[in-house]
Amino acid sequence: DTAVSQTPKYLVTQMGNDKSIKCEQNLGHDTMYWYKQDSKKFLKIMFSYNNKELIINETVPNRFSPKSPDKAHLNLHINSLELGDSAVYFCASSGAGGGQPQHFGDGTRLSIL
Amino acid sequence: AQSVAQPEDQVNVAEGNPLTVKCTYSVSGNPYLFWYVQYPNRGLQFLLKYITGDNLVKGSYGFEAEFNKSQTSFHLKKPSALVSDSALYFCAVSLGTYKYIFGTGTRLKVLA
């Protein structure tokens, strides 16, 4: 069983469209995250959620709206897609406490035409 | 500003030789430190972590890391590299419970 799963794996769309990425974890973790990895492989945190509540929003544009229907799911909706949004988006989860390792999904590669 | 630095974009090592991937950090307080590995088209996989205690931490796949508080470093090591170790390696620091800062990554290439 995949611990952290994201769908879709690939997303190709036009500028200006709206798209969503889904993430589910079956590890029983309370905390979930969204990361953006750019073409140079730099990894930057976007959001942290704990038990369905937003904890961290790292100055991400309002066009990005995460939603957590329950603590096992954290979806990411993106409005009005721009060329600069092209990247790989990773979902992750971790147990409680700062010393817990994160478990990552395999990413969603978003390409904006 | 709190940060994690991986000074080498790429490290090349011959198979069977020891490898070191460097990481230094600048954070306040006592950090939690991590190493992750990323293979092509995959998510990051946890290798090992330092919380407290022994400065030499052992992890998955024969990797270990040495924590040095005075040099604020957490270098990743392996005594004998394998071609299959070739991947992208990330050092990370936990800033409390909900936020992690990642280094820029180091590409390890093990040559047969």
Side-chain angles (χ1 to χ4, degrees), chain A residues 2-3 10 13 29 36 41 50 70 73 76 80 82 94 105-108:
Chain A
T2 304
Y10 299 97
T13 189
H29 290 158
K36 179 179 181 181
K41 305 298 185 184
N50 186 63
D70 55 63
H73 295 83
L76 184 65
S80 304
E82 300 178 356
S94 70
D106 281 338
T108 296

Side-chain angles (χ1 to χ4, degrees), chain A:
Chain A
D1 260 353
T2 304
V4 181
S5 58
Q6 299 178 226
T7 54
K9 193 169 176 64
Y10 299 97
L11 200 45
V12 181
T13 189
Q14 304 267 2
M15 215 165 46
N17 284 352
D18 303 339
K19 288 294 178 185
S20 292
I21 306 172
K22 294 187 176 182
C23 178
E24 176 182 4
Q25 54 96 2
N26 63 5
L27 297 167
H29 290 158
D30 284 343
T31 309
M32 295 185 73
Y33 313 81
W34 277 110
Y35 285 88
K36 179 179 181 181
Q37 186 174 46
D38 64 21
S39 58
K40 293 185 178 178
K41 305 298 185 184
F42 296 157
L43 196 65
K44 187 142 192 290
I45 192 165
M46 300 172 70
F47 301 103
S48 296
Y49 265 72
N50 186 63
N51 207 4
K52 304 192 299 176
E53 288 195 20
L54 178 66
I55 303 297
I56 289 177
N57 176 341
E58 279 292 299
T59 61
V60 178
N62 290 342
R63 299 184 295 104
F64 290 80
S65 51
K67 281 191 174 46
S68 182
D70 55 63
K71 71 175 193 177
H73 295 83
L74 181 62
N75 304 323
L76 184 65
H77 188 76
I78 316 170
N79 290 328
S80 304
L81 280 157
E82 300 178 356
L83 288 175
D85 297 332
S86 294
V88 181
Y89 292 84
F90 287 99
C91 177
S93 71
S94 70
Q100 298 303 315
Q102 295 179 304
H103 298 255
F104 285 79
D106 281 338
T108 296
R109 184 175 296 275
L110 175 62
S111 300
I112 310 301
L113 303 178

